[in-house]
Amino acid sequence: MNKQNKLVYQTTVNIEQELYRVRDAVNKLRKPNSVVVPFLTDTHAGVRNKNLSYLKKTGYDHMENLVNLTKILNCDYVVHGGDVIDGSSLTLADVHLSFEETVKRLMEIEVPVFMMRGNHDDNSLGDSYLANDLSHVISFDTLKNYLFDKRLHKSKLIDNPLEPGGSYGYYDDERNKIRVFFFDSFNTRQELLNGDYKFPLVSSKGCFANTQLNWMADKMKRIPSGYKAMIFSHTGLVDYRNSNSIIHPEVRNAGAVQALLKAFETGSKLSYKGTDKDFPIQVDIDFGGVATNVLAWINGHVHGDYLKEIP
């Protein structure tokens, strides 16, 4: 039976069958207290890119498949984990068009859609092919405007208005009593050093900076009574290459985030001073009486499926 009339985008028979298979599998597992969140990440889409340009249209195909899935599956909200675009464009016009094509598609989704910043999303890869001088990257403010487009999240996302370029915030899922935190794991700065982009996102290993961590700590402390927490980001805290490690050593200030989460879950006091010279941090917070269960940290970036339980 052809079910294409229920889908927004025309697709192949095989993809159509897979969409309905996923729907049926999720519904079979669904319970009254289930939270259903389709998670798409690392689409690396783009209208024209120097890096593997012949493959980049598939990123939009994945987005269209996601839109179709939400039309046949009852879900709570949708999250894109970052690297929305490939960011290897040779013109700024193509960077903007790449994001505009993304927003145009994801606007078709009726539930809130939240997008994270990935290390490819400011076009620093494209900039590196040229002068590597920030002339072909989009500003963090502009990038945030695309990622946090209100037409996508339906005005449900609360972000920090005092850091216009910081792509982080939270959403209160009132039905499921979950405060969903969206961490910006590439919370760096766009500045030059001797004429070169000092912290190009594409070669960055990730960073959690001071303003973000203190803002997030305050929102954690103010979590509504009876709520649990869930966290999304592009890069996670876990080093998947090392089964004995629960900290990713390359992510700046990852240890501070881990300490923050432990204090949050145990309702304890935290005073943490970082040692990173480029991104110094000082977090002082008392979670007395707050103790909250963090359900999961979900991230992209690694281009693979991993599941790890963290004590």
Side-chain angles (χ1 to χ4, degrees):
M1 177 179 177
N2 191 327
K3 304 172 183 176
Q4 291 274 3
N5 61 322
K6 293 187 178 182
L7 307 181
V8 174
Y9 292 99
Q10 189 76 19
T11 186
T12 66
V13 173
N14 288 341
I15 294 296
E16 176 188 335
Q17 291 175 344
E18 180 64 10
L19 289 172
Y20 279 95
R21 186 199 68 79
V22 170
R23 182 202 64 178
D24 293 343
V26 171
N27 286 337
K28 186 176 181 179
L29 294 170
R30 190 191 297 268
K31 298 178 181 179
N33 63 343
S34 292
V35 183
V36 179
V37 184
F39 179 69
L40 178 67
T41 188
D42 293 86
T43 44
H44 288 263
V47 291
R48 280 175 290 274
N49 298 276
K50 181 175 180 180
N51 178 40
L52 299 176
S53 59
Y54 63 96
L55 292 176
K56 297 312 170 185
K57 184 186 180 299
T58 60
Y60 295 124
D61 291 338
H62 292 314
M63 294 178 195
E64 292 173 4
N65 291 336
L66 175 64
V67 173
N68 281 338
L69 180 62
T70 66
K71 299 303 179 182
I72 61 174
L73 175 67
N74 183 22
C75 51
D76 293 276
Y77 41 94
V78 170
V79 177
H80 193 303
D83 280 359
V84 178
I85 66 170
D86 189 61
S88 59
S89 297
L90 300 183
T91 71
L92 285 174
D94 283 345
V95 181
H96 289 290
L97 184 57
S98 295
F99 269 112
E100 289 163 6
E101 289 294 321
T102 295
V103 172
K104 180 177 70 175
R105 287 167 171 80
L106 297 186
M107 280 175 54
E108 298 275 2
I109 297 175
E110 296 174 16
V111 297
V113 178
F114 305 99
M115 292 201 295
M116 306 293 92
R117 178 199 291 176
N119 55 308
H120 278 253
D121 288 325
D122 75 338
N123 202 56
S124 54
L125 180 57
D127 191 57
S128 72
Y129 293 145
L130 300 164
N132 195 40
D133 61 356
L134 290 172
S135 61
H136 288 77
V137 303
I138 58 174
S139 71
F140 285 169
D141 294 28
T142 299
L143 176 54
K144 180 178 178 178
N145 288 337
Y146 283 124
L147 298 175
F148 287 5
D149 191 314
K150 291 183 179 181
R151 294 172 296 175
L152 297 179
H153 63 71
K154 324 301 185 202
S155 299
K156 299 293 186 180
L157 181 69
I158 307 299
D159 68 306
N160 184 1
L162 300 181
E163 188 176 7
S167 298
Y168 56 88
Y170 71 90
Y171 160 62
D172 279 338
D173 177 356
E174 296 178 359
R175 185 182 77 85
N176 298 297
K177 295 188 180 301
I178 301 173
R179 177 160 285 188
V180 187
F181 293 95
F182 302 100
F183 273 76
D184 183 352
S185 56
F186 286 89
N187 190 204
T188 57
R189 299 187 298 272
Q190 290 178 311
E191 61 185 47
L192 296 174
L193 177 65
N194 299 324
D196 291 326
Y197 190 176
K198 185 177 181 180
F199 304 110
L201 286 195
V202 72
S203 57
S204 170
K205 303 302 181 181
C207 176
F208 301 97
N210 188 66
T211 299
Q212 175 183 191
L213 293 188
N214 279 278
W215 190 87
M216 287 296 211
D218 177 71
K219 305 314 173 189
M220 289 175 168
K221 184 174 181 177
R222 298 173 186 271
I223 191 169
S225 177
Y227 272 50
K228 297 179 180 179
M230 187 157 56
I231 300 172
F232 289 89
S233 70
H234 184 61
T235 294
L237 297 181
V238 176
D239 184 353
Y240 294 99
R241 300 163 302 181
N242 183 353
S243 60
N244 297 317
S245 173
I246 59 172
I247 284 292
H248 198 307
E250 298 172 346
V251 180
R252 295 174 187 250
N253 296 324
V257 180
Q258 187 202 32
L260 179 61
L261 293 181
K262 284 187 175 180
F264 181 45
E265 286 199 295
T266 58
S268 56
K269 187 176 181 179
L270 174 68
S271 182
Y272 190 102
K273 184 176 182 179
T275 59
D276 191 290
K277 294 182 179 179
D278 289 315
F279 296 93
I281 57 169
Q282 178 69 53
V283 179
D284 295 288
I285 191 78
D286 187 352
F287 288 112
V290 173
T292 302
N293 182 18
V294 178
L295 299 173
W297 181 299
I298 302 169
N299 62 275
H301 189 57
V302 293
H303 292 210
D305 296 327
Y306 302 88
L307 178 65
K308 186 167 185 176
E309 183 176 354
I310 300 177

